[in-house]
Amino acid sequence: MSAERKPIGVIGTGYVGLVTAAGFAELGSEVWCVDIDAEKIERLRRGEVPIYEPGLEQILAEHGSRLHFSTDLGEALEHARMLFVAVGTPPTYSGDADLSAVHAVVDALPPSNEHALVMKSTVPCGTGASIQRIFRERGKEGMAYVSCPEFLKEGSALKDFRRPDRVVVGDNGDWAGDAVIGLYAPLEAPLVRTDVASAEMIKLAANAFLATKISFINEIANVCEETGADVIEVARGVGLDDRIGPKFLQAGIGYGGSCFTKDVSALKLLAANSGYHFQLLNAVTEVNELQKRRVISKLQRHVGDLAGKRIAMLGLAFKPETDDMRGASSLVLAGRLLAEGAIVSTYDPVAEHEARTLMPQLNYCDAALEAVTEADAVVLVTEWREFLELDWNEVAEAMSGALVVDGRNALDAAAVRAAGLLYEGIGRR
Ligand code: UGA
C-alpha cells in the first residue's frame, strides 16, 4: 500500500478511535492519536491494547511505527490536517447525548485554515451546524468540518473497517470532504456523499432501525410462544424476502451494548426537542427492557420460587468477542435473579474483569463446567463459541437440575435434549 497517504490525527482512543487509527495505519497513513487519559496513552505506547477486539493488538503491533500516541493535541495538529474526532458521547441523565467531550475538542482547536474536524463520534443531528457556528463565533471559521459516521460493530470492528457496507461523508463540498473520500478510496466501498445534517441522521436512523428490527423479532418470538410457532423458522421465512433481509432477526434476551440504547434514546429526544413525538422508538425501548426480564418468568415456570436456587449464567458481555459490559442484558438478568434470592454463578471468557466491578455479588468461575456445577438451571446469556461447543452430557452430569434456557437461540436444542436436559429457547416450539 502507498506510503504516500495523508497523515491523520485521531482524537479519542476508545473503540472507534483505535480501530480507525489501526485501519488507516494499515492503509499506509501516519496516525497521530491523542487522548486526555495519560495512563491509557502510556499503555498504548508500551504496545498494550486497553480493549478486547479481535485482531486489534496484532494490527497495532504490525503498524506500530506509523502510530504515534500523545496527550498533546499540538502534535496531531502539527503532522496532520484531518483530525478524526472519536470521543465518547454517552447519554446524560435526561437521555440526550452528552457532548462535553466533543466541545472540549472544539474549544481546544486553534484557529486554522488548514485543518478539518472529521466527526466520527455519534452526535445528534444539528451538532455539525452548531460546531461550525461556534467556529465562526470564535474566529476559527477556517476550520473545515466533515461528518463521517462510523458503522463498525464491536467484535468485528476491523473487518467492518476494511470492508464497510458504505462510507458516509457529510460535508460542505470543500477540500476536506474530498480528502476524507480519498482516505477511504482504497476500500472501494459504496460512497454516500451528502450534507452534514443528513450524515448525522443516517447514523442515528441506522442504529434505530437495527434496534427496531431486533425488538420486532423479539415480539414475534413472544407471540410464537403463545401460538406454537417457532421464531427461527419464522425469521428464516421472513428474512428471505429481499426487502427485509435475514440479518438482525435473531430473537433473544434483548439487545445490549452502548450504541443502540444510547442512539435510540438520542433520536427520540432529538425528535422531542424539535417538537416531534417519535412513538415507534418508545415501543422499541420498552420491548427491549421487558425482553431482558422474560427469562425470569421462564425460570420460575420450571423451577418455581428462585429463592435459594442456583442459577448459572453462561456469558456476561453484551455479545460475543467483546469484553464490553455496557448495556449488557446480563446486568438486568443478574440483578433480577439476585433480587429473587437466587445464587448466581457465572463464567465469561473475557468480560469477567469488567463485570466484577459492576456485579460483585456473583460467583465468578474459571470455566463453563465449573459455573454449571450444582446448578438448578443454566441460562445462555452470550453466545460465545465455546458455549455452543459444550458437551451437554458433561453439563447434565454436573448440574443438579435439568433446565437450560437458551437466551440467544444459539444452542443445538437436539443435543441439549439428547443429554436429558430440558431445553427452553426464546420463541421456540
Ligand atoms: C451497533 C451497530 O450494529 C453498528 O453498525 C454501529 O456502528 C454500532 O452499534 C455503533 O453505533 O457504534 P454493536 O453495538 O457493536 O454495533 O453491536 P451489534 O452487533 O449491532 O449488536 C448489538 C446488540 O444486539 C447485541 O447485544 C446483540 O446480541 C443484539 N442482537 C443483534 C440481537 O439481539 N439480535 C440480532 O439479530 C442482532
Side-chain angles (χ1 to χ4, degrees):
M1 246 151 261
S2 158
E4 303 295 314
R5 286 178 54 82
K6 290 194 170 63
I8 62 161
V10 174
I11 305 170
T13 56
Y15 276 102
V16 172
L18 274 184
V19 173
T20 304
F24 279 124
E26 186 179 51
L27 288 176
S29 287
E30 291 284 320
V31 184
W32 303 82
C33 301
V34 186
D35 202 293
I36 52 169
D37 184 340
E39 197 191 317
K40 201 180 197 184
I41 289 295
E42 262 323 302
R43 288 181 65 187
L44 285 162
R45 277 186 178 152
R46 285 198 301 266
E48 284 175 37
V49 181
I51 53 167
Y52 177 81
E53 181 62 42
L56 186 59
E57 199 166 336
Q58 189 193 346
I59 179 174
L60 288 177
E62 242 169 65
H63 301 286
S65 60
R66 293 200 194 109
L67 288 153
H68 314 274
F69 296 101
S70 174
T71 52
D72 179 11
L73 180 62
E75 287 188 29
L77 285 163
E78 185 189 333
H79 295 281
R81 295 180 74 194
M82 277 166 294
L83 305 166
F84 284 77
V85 174
V87 296
T89 52
T92 57
Y93 285 117
S94 63
D96 296 282
D98 177 357
L99 296 179
S100 53
V102 166
H103 283 292
V105 175
V106 170
D107 291 346
L109 289 172
S112 164
N113 292 322
E114 292 186 345
H115 291 92
L117 189 166
V118 185
M119 186 61 78
K120 275 263 157 230
S121 303
T122 302
V123 293
C125 186
T127 304
S130 95
I131 290 176
Q132 290 174 89
R133 194 171 54 243
I134 293 172
F135 282 156
R136 285 194 297 277
E137 283 166 7
R138 306 210 181 141
K140 302 182 192 177
E141 56 279 345
M143 183 74 68
Y145 188 91
V146 180
S147 166
C148 181
E150 186 51 68
F151 301 98
L152 62 82
K153 299 181 287 298
E154 289 180 24
S156 60
L158 286 164
K159 194 169 126 265
D160 294 342
F161 180 92
R162 292 178 184 129
R163 304 190 57 185
D165 289 342
R166 76 299 209 186
V167 169
V168 175
V169 175
D171 72 315
N172 302 304
D174 54 23
W175 69 269
D178 294 342
V180 174
I181 290 168
L183 279 170
Y184 279 103
L187 301 179
E188 296 178 351
L191 170 71
V192 180
R193 188 172 193 175
T194 181
D195 58 280
V196 172
S198 300
E200 291 167 342
M201 187 58 97
I202 287 170
K203 168 70 189 185
L204 291 177
N207 271 359
F209 185 79
L210 291 170
T212 304
K213 218 173 165 189
I214 298 171
S215 277
F216 178 82
I217 199 67
N218 282 337
E219 287 219 282
I220 293 290
N222 300 343
V223 179
C224 283
E225 288 181 5
E226 301 301 324
T227 54
D230 187 320
V231 74
I232 299 234
E233 298 299 311
V234 174
R236 194 157 62 93
V238 168
L240 280 168
D241 185 324
D242 227 17
R243 294 166 301 175
I244 298 174
K247 295 184 182 160
F248 278 67
L249 286 180
Q250 177 87 31
I253 53 172
Y255 60 76
S258 64
C259 303
F260 286 171
T261 314
K262 170 173 82 89
D263 292 349
V264 166
S265 160
L267 179 52
K268 201 178 77 182
L269 291 168
L270 174 71
N273 294 342
S274 328
Y276 182 74
H277 181 45
F278 204 141
Q279 298 190 59
L280 184 60
L281 295 182
N282 283 331
V284 169
T285 305
E286 196 184 345
V287 168
N288 196 52
E289 285 313 308
L290 294 174
Q291 199 68 15
K292 295 178 188 173
R293 290 164 163 79
R294 275 179 73 86
V295 169
I296 300 294
S297 47
K298 282 182 189 290
L299 290 168
Q300 284 165 333
R301 197 164 65 240
H302 290 286
V303 304
D305 187 355
L306 294 176
K309 297 277 164 41
R310 294 181 176 276
I311 310 294
M313 288 174 48
L314 295 182
L316 294 166
F318 86 96
K319 66 175 189 177
E321 301 298 337
T322 177
D323 60 351
D324 197 343
M325 284 297 298
R326 287 175 296 174
S329 297
S330 64
L331 295 168
V332 174
L333 182 56
R336 288 288 301 114
L337 286 170
L338 293 171
E340 294 291 330
I343 302 155
V344 184
S345 57
T346 186
Y347 164 69
D348 186 289
V350 303
E352 177 181 333
H353 180 71
E354 298 290 315
R356 264 185 190 277
T357 45
L358 298 164
M359 301 183 288
Q361 314 91 320
L362 309 188
N363 303 321
Y364 290 89
C365 303
D366 295 328
L369 265 186
E370 188 189 334
V372 303
T373 298
E374 298 292 309
D376 293 291
V378 170
V379 184
L380 179 80
V381 178
T382 315
E383 65 277 35
W384 285 96
R385 177 167 289 281
E386 66 175 273
F387 301 146
L388 312 190
E389 291 168 353
L390 276 172
D391 179 335
W392 290 98
N393 290 314
E394 281 180 14
V395 174
E397 228 164 82
M399 288 175 70
S400 67
L403 176 65
V404 175
V405 179
D406 180 0
R408 296 291 174 188
N409 285 351
L411 301 176
D412 178 350
V416 174
R417 289 193 180 113
L421 295 166
L422 184 67
Y423 174 89
E424 169 95 34
I426 309 290
R428 308 295 309 276
R429 239 193 319 269

PDB file of all heavy atoms in Angstrom, residues 6 69 76 177 179 194 203 208 231 260 281 290 296 299 309 323 325 334 359 423:
ATOM      1  N   LYS A   6      -2.045  10.393   3.117  1.00  0.00           N
ATOM      2  CA  LYS A   6      -2.044  11.557   4.010  1.00  0.00           C
ATOM      3  C   LYS A   6      -2.018  11.120   5.471  1.00  0.00           C
ATOM      4  O   LYS A   6      -2.703  10.169   5.846  1.00  0.00           O
ATOM      5  CB  LYS A   6      -3.296  12.381   3.760  1.00  0.00           C
ATOM      6  CG  LYS A   6      -3.307  13.086   2.421  1.00  0.00           C
ATOM      7  CD  LYS A   6      -4.416  14.140   2.389  1.00  0.00           C
ATOM      8  CE  LYS A   6      -4.308  15.017   1.162  1.00  0.00           C
ATOM      9  NZ  LYS A   6      -4.485  14.270  -0.084  1.00  0.00           N
ATOM     10  N   PHE A  69       1.301   8.079  19.775  1.00  0.00           N
ATOM     11  CA  PHE A  69       0.320   8.322  20.838  1.00  0.00           C
ATOM     12  C   PHE A  69       0.776   9.472  21.721  1.00  0.00           C
ATOM     13  O   PHE A  69       1.944   9.519  22.133  1.00  0.00           O
ATOM     14  CB  PHE A  69       0.147   7.057  21.683  1.00  0.00           C
ATOM     15  CG  PHE A  69      -0.420   5.907  20.896  1.00  0.00           C
ATOM     16  CD1 PHE A  69       0.412   4.895  20.421  1.00  0.00           C
ATOM     17  CD2 PHE A  69      -1.769   5.847  20.606  1.00  0.00           C
ATOM     18  CE1 PHE A  69      -0.102   3.842  19.677  1.00  0.00           C
ATOM     19  CE2 PHE A  69      -2.301   4.798  19.867  1.00  0.00           C
ATOM     20  CZ  PHE A  69      -1.461   3.792  19.403  1.00  0.00           C
ATOM     21  N   ALA A  76      -0.681  16.273  16.873  1.00  0.00           N
ATOM     22  CA  ALA A  76      -1.571  15.877  15.772  1.00  0.00           C
ATOM     23  C   ALA A  76      -1.755  17.056  14.813  1.00  0.00           C
ATOM     24  O   ALA A  76      -1.724  16.888  13.599  1.00  0.00           O
ATOM     25  CB  ALA A  76      -2.911  15.407  16.324  1.00  0.00           C
ATOM     26  N   GLY A 177     -13.965  17.288   2.564  1.00  0.00           N
ATOM     27  CA  GLY A 177     -14.780  16.140   2.149  1.00  0.00           C
ATOM     28  C   GLY A 177     -14.024  15.312   1.121  1.00  0.00           C
ATOM     29  O   GLY A 177     -13.983  14.067   1.208  1.00  0.00           O
ATOM     30  N   ALA A 179     -10.860  15.094   0.781  1.00  0.00           N
ATOM     31  CA  ALA A 179      -9.723  14.421   1.424  1.00  0.00           C
ATOM     32  C   ALA A 179     -10.167  13.173   2.181  1.00  0.00           C
ATOM     33  O   ALA A 179      -9.502  12.126   2.142  1.00  0.00           O
ATOM     34  CB  ALA A 179      -9.011  15.395   2.377  1.00  0.00           C
ATOM     35  N   THR A 194     -23.015  13.531   1.217  1.00  0.00           N
ATOM     36  CA  THR A 194     -24.246  14.282   1.454  1.00  0.00           C
ATOM     37  C   THR A 194     -23.922  15.503   2.328  1.00  0.00           C
ATOM     38  O   THR A 194     -22.755  15.803   2.571  1.00  0.00           O
ATOM     39  CB  THR A 194     -25.294  13.337   2.098  1.00  0.00           C
ATOM     40  OG1 THR A 194     -26.490  14.059   2.309  1.00  0.00           O
ATOM     41  CG2 THR A 194     -24.840  12.766   3.429  1.00  0.00           C
ATOM     42  N   LYS A 203     -26.610   7.974  10.618  1.00  0.00           N
ATOM     43  CA  LYS A 203     -26.061   7.154  11.705  1.00  0.00           C
ATOM     44  C   LYS A 203     -27.145   6.802  12.738  1.00  0.00           C
ATOM     45  O   LYS A 203     -27.321   5.646  13.131  1.00  0.00           O
ATOM     46  CB  LYS A 203     -24.907   7.911  12.374  1.00  0.00           C
ATOM     47  CG  LYS A 203     -24.439   7.340  13.672  1.00  0.00           C
ATOM     48  CD  LYS A 203     -23.731   6.018  13.472  1.00  0.00           C
ATOM     49  CE  LYS A 203     -23.459   5.364  14.806  1.00  0.00           C
ATOM     50  NZ  LYS A 203     -22.680   4.146  14.693  1.00  0.00           N
ATOM     51  N   ALA A 208     -31.185   3.026  15.010  1.00  0.00           N
ATOM     52  CA  ALA A 208     -32.571   2.926  15.476  1.00  0.00           C
ATOM     53  C   ALA A 208     -33.318   1.857  14.678  1.00  0.00           C
ATOM     54  O   ALA A 208     -34.124   1.107  15.237  1.00  0.00           O
ATOM     55  CB  ALA A 208     -33.272   4.280  15.345  1.00  0.00           C
ATOM     56  N   VAL A 231     -39.861 -19.223  16.190  1.00  0.00           N
ATOM     57  CA  VAL A 231     -39.360 -17.950  15.652  1.00  0.00           C
ATOM     58  C   VAL A 231     -38.181 -18.147  14.706  1.00  0.00           C
ATOM     59  O   VAL A 231     -37.970 -17.336  13.792  1.00  0.00           O
ATOM     60  CB  VAL A 231     -39.010 -16.955  16.785  1.00  0.00           C
ATOM     61  CG1 VAL A 231     -37.715 -17.358  17.497  1.00  0.00           C
ATOM     62  CG2 VAL A 231     -38.901 -15.546  16.244  1.00  0.00           C
ATOM     63  N   PHE A 260     -27.025   1.038  20.693  1.00  0.00           N
ATOM     64  CA  PHE A 260     -28.450   1.023  20.362  1.00  0.00           C
ATOM     65  C   PHE A 260     -29.266   1.779  21.405  1.00  0.00           C
ATOM     66  O   PHE A 260     -30.102   2.620  21.078  1.00  0.00           O
ATOM     67  CB  PHE A 260     -28.964  -0.419  20.232  1.00  0.00           C
ATOM     68  CG  PHE A 260     -28.524  -1.103  18.961  1.00  0.00           C
ATOM     69  CD1 PHE A 260     -28.732  -2.458  18.775  1.00  0.00           C
ATOM     70  CD2 PHE A 260     -27.906  -0.389  17.960  1.00  0.00           C
ATOM     71  CE1 PHE A 260     -28.335  -3.090  17.607  1.00  0.00           C
ATOM     72  CE2 PHE A 260     -27.503  -1.001  16.776  1.00  0.00           C
ATOM     73  CZ  PHE A 260     -27.720  -2.362  16.610  1.00  0.00           C
ATOM     74  N   LEU A 281     -40.164   4.488  18.620  1.00  0.00           N
ATOM     75  CA  LEU A 281     -38.958   4.212  19.407  1.00  0.00           C
ATOM     76  C   LEU A 281     -39.255   3.976  20.883  1.00  0.00           C
ATOM     77  O   LEU A 281     -38.496   3.291  21.576  1.00  0.00           O
ATOM     78  CB  LEU A 281     -37.928   5.334  19.220  1.00  0.00           C
ATOM     79  CG  LEU A 281     -37.371   5.442  17.797  1.00  0.00           C
ATOM     80  CD1 LEU A 281     -36.320   6.535  17.705  1.00  0.00           C
ATOM     81  CD2 LEU A 281     -36.805   4.117  17.303  1.00  0.00           C
ATOM     82  N   LEU A 290     -38.357  -5.198  28.593  1.00  0.00           N
ATOM     83  CA  LEU A 290     -39.161  -6.335  29.066  1.00  0.00           C
ATOM     84  C   LEU A 290     -38.541  -7.663  28.640  1.00  0.00           C
ATOM     85  O   LEU A 290     -38.596  -8.651  29.370  1.00  0.00           O
ATOM     86  CB  LEU A 290     -40.598  -6.224  28.545  1.00  0.00           C
ATOM     87  CG  LEU A 290     -41.393  -5.039  29.101  1.00  0.00           C
ATOM     88  CD1 LEU A 290     -42.745  -4.931  28.427  1.00  0.00           C
ATOM     89  CD2 LEU A 290     -41.565  -5.165  30.620  1.00  0.00           C
ATOM     90  N   ILE A 296     -36.703 -14.538  33.565  1.00  0.00           N
ATOM     91  CA  ILE A 296     -37.067 -14.800  34.964  1.00  0.00           C
ATOM     92  C   ILE A 296     -38.353 -15.619  35.038  1.00  0.00           C
ATOM     93  O   ILE A 296     -38.438 -16.617  35.756  1.00  0.00           O
ATOM     94  CB  ILE A 296     -37.237 -13.463  35.749  1.00  0.00           C
ATOM     95  CG1 ILE A 296     -35.928 -12.676  35.725  1.00  0.00           C
ATOM     96  CG2 ILE A 296     -37.704 -13.711  37.182  1.00  0.00           C
ATOM     97  CD1 ILE A 296     -34.769 -13.312  36.453  1.00  0.00           C
ATOM     98  N   LEU A 299     -37.741 -19.167  34.049  1.00  0.00           N
ATOM     99  CA  LEU A 299     -37.090 -19.935  35.126  1.00  0.00           C
ATOM    100  C   LEU A 299     -38.114 -20.309  36.194  1.00  0.00           C
ATOM    101  O   LEU A 299     -38.181 -21.460  36.649  1.00  0.00           O
ATOM    102  CB  LEU A 299     -35.947 -19.119  35.747  1.00  0.00           C
ATOM    103  CG  LEU A 299     -34.708 -18.913  34.869  1.00  0.00           C
ATOM    104  CD1 LEU A 299     -33.790 -17.859  35.482  1.00  0.00           C
ATOM    105  CD2 LEU A 299     -33.940 -20.225  34.705  1.00  0.00           C
ATOM    106  N   LYS A 309     -32.250 -20.888  44.846  1.00  0.00           N
ATOM    107  CA  LYS A 309     -31.935 -21.736  43.695  1.00  0.00           C
ATOM    108  C   LYS A 309     -30.594 -21.308  43.094  1.00  0.00           C
ATOM    109  O   LYS A 309     -30.230 -20.138  43.137  1.00  0.00           O
ATOM    110  CB  LYS A 309     -33.038 -21.641  42.624  1.00  0.00           C
ATOM    111  CG  LYS A 309     -34.381 -22.148  43.090  1.00  0.00           C
ATOM    112  CD  LYS A 309     -34.473 -23.657  42.948  1.00  0.00           C
ATOM    113  CE  LYS A 309     -35.597 -24.291  43.730  1.00  0.00           C
ATOM    114  NZ  LYS A 309     -36.879 -23.635  43.754  1.00  0.00           N
ATOM    115  N   ASP A 323     -15.338  -7.583  25.482  1.00  0.00           N
ATOM    116  CA  ASP A 323     -15.412  -7.584  26.953  1.00  0.00           C
ATOM    117  C   ASP A 323     -16.315  -6.441  27.424  1.00  0.00           C
ATOM    118  O   ASP A 323     -16.358  -6.113  28.598  1.00  0.00           O
ATOM    119  CB  ASP A 323     -14.013  -7.439  27.569  1.00  0.00           C
ATOM    120  CG  ASP A 323     -13.329  -6.144  27.164  1.00  0.00           C
ATOM    121  OD1 ASP A 323     -13.864  -5.435  26.275  1.00  0.00           O
ATOM    122  OD2 ASP A 323     -12.256  -5.838  27.712  1.00  0.00           O
ATOM    123  N   MET A 325     -19.307  -4.486  28.695  1.00  0.00           N
ATOM    124  CA  MET A 325     -20.464  -4.809  29.545  1.00  0.00           C
ATOM    125  C   MET A 325     -21.528  -3.713  29.478  1.00  0.00           C
ATOM    126  O   MET A 325     -22.563  -3.801  30.136  1.00  0.00           O
ATOM    127  CB  MET A 325     -20.011  -4.952  31.000  1.00  0.00           C
ATOM    128  CG  MET A 325     -19.290  -6.247  31.315  1.00  0.00           C
ATOM    129  SD  MET A 325     -20.352  -7.678  31.076  1.00  0.00           S
ATOM    130  CE  MET A 325     -21.637  -7.351  32.285  1.00  0.00           C
ATOM    131  N   ALA A 334     -28.998 -10.592  35.961  1.00  0.00           N
ATOM    132  CA  ALA A 334     -28.358 -10.908  37.247  1.00  0.00           C
ATOM    133  C   ALA A 334     -29.015 -10.116  38.375  1.00  0.00           C
ATOM    134  O   ALA A 334     -29.267 -10.656  39.462  1.00  0.00           O
ATOM    135  CB  ALA A 334     -26.862 -10.593  37.177  1.00  0.00           C
ATOM    136  N   MET A 359     -20.916  -6.112  39.131  1.00  0.00           N
ATOM    137  CA  MET A 359     -21.746  -7.115  39.809  1.00  0.00           C
ATOM    138  C   MET A 359     -20.879  -7.960  40.735  1.00  0.00           C
ATOM    139  O   MET A 359     -20.611  -9.132  40.458  1.00  0.00           O
ATOM    140  CB  MET A 359     -22.416  -8.024  38.764  1.00  0.00           C
ATOM    141  CG  MET A 359     -23.299  -7.274  37.793  1.00  0.00           C
ATOM    142  SD  MET A 359     -24.160  -8.351  36.632  1.00  0.00           S
ATOM    143  CE  MET A 359     -22.841  -8.884  35.564  1.00  0.00           C
ATOM    144  N   TYR A 423     -34.808 -28.183  27.274  1.00  0.00           N
ATOM    145  CA  TYR A 423     -34.372 -27.010  26.506  1.00  0.00           C
ATOM    146  C   TYR A 423     -35.513 -26.011  26.384  1.00  0.00           C
ATOM    147  O   TYR A 423     -36.620 -26.377  26.016  1.00  0.00           O
ATOM    148  CB  TYR A 423     -33.926 -27.438  25.107  1.00  0.00           C
ATOM    149  CG  TYR A 423     -33.588 -26.265  24.201  1.00  0.00           C
ATOM    150  CD1 TYR A 423     -32.306 -25.743  24.164  1.00  0.00           C
ATOM    151  CD2 TYR A 423     -34.570 -25.655  23.406  1.00  0.00           C
ATOM    152  CE1 TYR A 423     -31.984 -24.662  23.351  1.00  0.00           C
ATOM    153  CE2 TYR A 423     -34.265 -24.574  22.599  1.00  0.00           C
ATOM    154  CZ  TYR A 423     -32.970 -24.091  22.571  1.00  0.00           C
ATOM    155  OH  TYR A 423     -32.664 -23.007  21.775  1.00  0.00           O
TER     156      TYR A 423
END
